[in-house]
Amino acid sequence: MKFFIDTADLAEIRDLAATGLVDGVTTNPSLVAKTGRQFLDVVREICAVVPGPVSAEVTATDTATMLAEGRKLAKIAKNVTVKVPLTPDGLKACKVLSSEGTMVNVTLCFSSAQAILAAKAGASFISPFVGRLDDIGQSGMELIREIVEIYRNYPHFKTEVLVASIRSPMHVTEAARMGAHVGTLPPAVLRQMFAHPLTEKGLATFLADWKKTGQSILADGEKVAAE
Ligand code: G3P
């Protein structure tokens, strides 16, 4: 399963990219607005930090303007993935941009019917929003199960299921059990995934016992190379 991080915050992206676990980044207009920075600059900088797909969303609602915006975004860097909304105009733009060789992420997907349309439009990624479905009392994870099952029935669909609107590590593990290709994780969720109280407790015990031995693996003055 690939991990993207769902943020436009460069400091967070740099910090988490250093773990070696980040395969890409997703942004949206709300995340960009939070930074207070120029969108095109932010996208350029993220693309330089993370070599994998970086989703940058168009803000027009008609196909012609979406295409102009998408082509401009795609020129920023090879790893830009143009994000379009799941609307008739968005899917028309998806078809054209995909045929030009640009990766497209179709966002705001809330049904498996919509996911079928995105695959037929040649999307590289479909973004079903699990947390927002849970918020209205529907099962976000059930939608992931349906989309993964449908796409598996049609091996010529090359669209990857990118689980979005993730709220907890459980969303990630459930999506992985279902075989979703990608999860886009808020930075806090990726950090939560490292944590387990028994890991912390066990490490404290190991270190305390080790200290009692009076030993050290590295001799005094033995060099520690930079990471
Ligand atoms: O980027 C799309 C998605 O991940 C948004 O998540 O938390 O705003 O529902 P959220």
Side-chain angles (χ1 to χ4, degrees):
M1 185 186 205
K2 283 177 271 189
F3 279 1
F4 292 177
I5 40 176
D6 199 24
T7 182
D9 181 331
L10 254 303
E12 289 276 37
I13 292 167
R14 284 201 183 92
D15 189 43
L16 291 171
T19 64
L21 300 173
V22 174
D23 303 298
V25 173
T26 53
T27 67
N28 63 38
S30 307
L31 294 171
V32 173
K34 271 196 211 165
T35 70
R37 298 193 53 211
Q38 284 299 311
F39 179 38
L40 301 186
D41 294 343
V42 171
V43 172
R44 191 171 299 108
E45 287 176 39
I46 297 174
C47 287
V49 174
V50 176
V54 173
S55 290
E57 188 160 342
V58 299
T59 52
T61 53
D62 66 285
T63 305
T65 319
M66 280 183 193
L67 285 173
E69 290 181 352
R71 287 174 181 139
K72 182 168 179 174
L73 291 169
K75 275 195 195 126
I76 294 176
K78 280 202 176 89
N79 51 333
V80 165
T81 299
V82 175
K83 210 170 177 188
V84 301
L86 208 152
T87 60
D89 280 70
L91 292 188
K92 277 190 231 163
C94 172
K95 183 118 195 167
V96 176
L97 291 167
S98 299
S99 72
E100 292 171 357
T102 296
M103 289 185 289
V104 179
N105 175 0
V106 176
T107 190
L108 292 166
C109 171
F110 294 96
S111 76
S112 47
Q114 290 179 317
I116 294 171
L117 296 177
K120 286 183 71 69
S124 298
F125 302 100
I126 180 68
S127 289
F129 279 29
V130 294
R132 292 193 195 183
L133 276 174
D134 291 352
D135 290 346
I136 61 159
Q138 293 183 22
S139 170
M141 294 319 302
E142 196 43 44
L143 174 60
I144 301 303
R145 191 189 306 283
E146 283 176 21
I147 299 173
V148 169
E149 180 191 340
I150 291 168
Y151 282 9
R152 278 199 187 129
N153 289 340
Y154 298 94
H156 66 281
F157 282 169
K158 299 297 175 219
T159 308
E160 295 192 15
V161 179
L162 193 172
V163 182
S165 188
I166 282 176
R167 302 277 161 82
S168 74
M170 258 175 58
H171 275 149
V172 182
T173 53
E174 283 182 44
R177 290 181 69 180
M178 291 170 188
H181 307 86
V182 192
T184 187
L185 283 61
V189 172
L190 180 52
R191 292 198 177 95
Q192 280 170 23
M193 288 183 72
F194 285 91
H196 195 288
L198 291 180
T199 305
E200 284 147 37
K201 190 175 168 215
L203 183 58
T205 306
F206 286 158
L207 294 181
D209 290 341
W210 178 247
K211 202 169 178 190
K212 288 180 210 154
T213 71
Q215 298 180 51
S216 160
I217 295 173
L218 296 178
D220 274 353
E222 209 169 330
K223 290 262 183 310
V224 177
E227 280 179 72

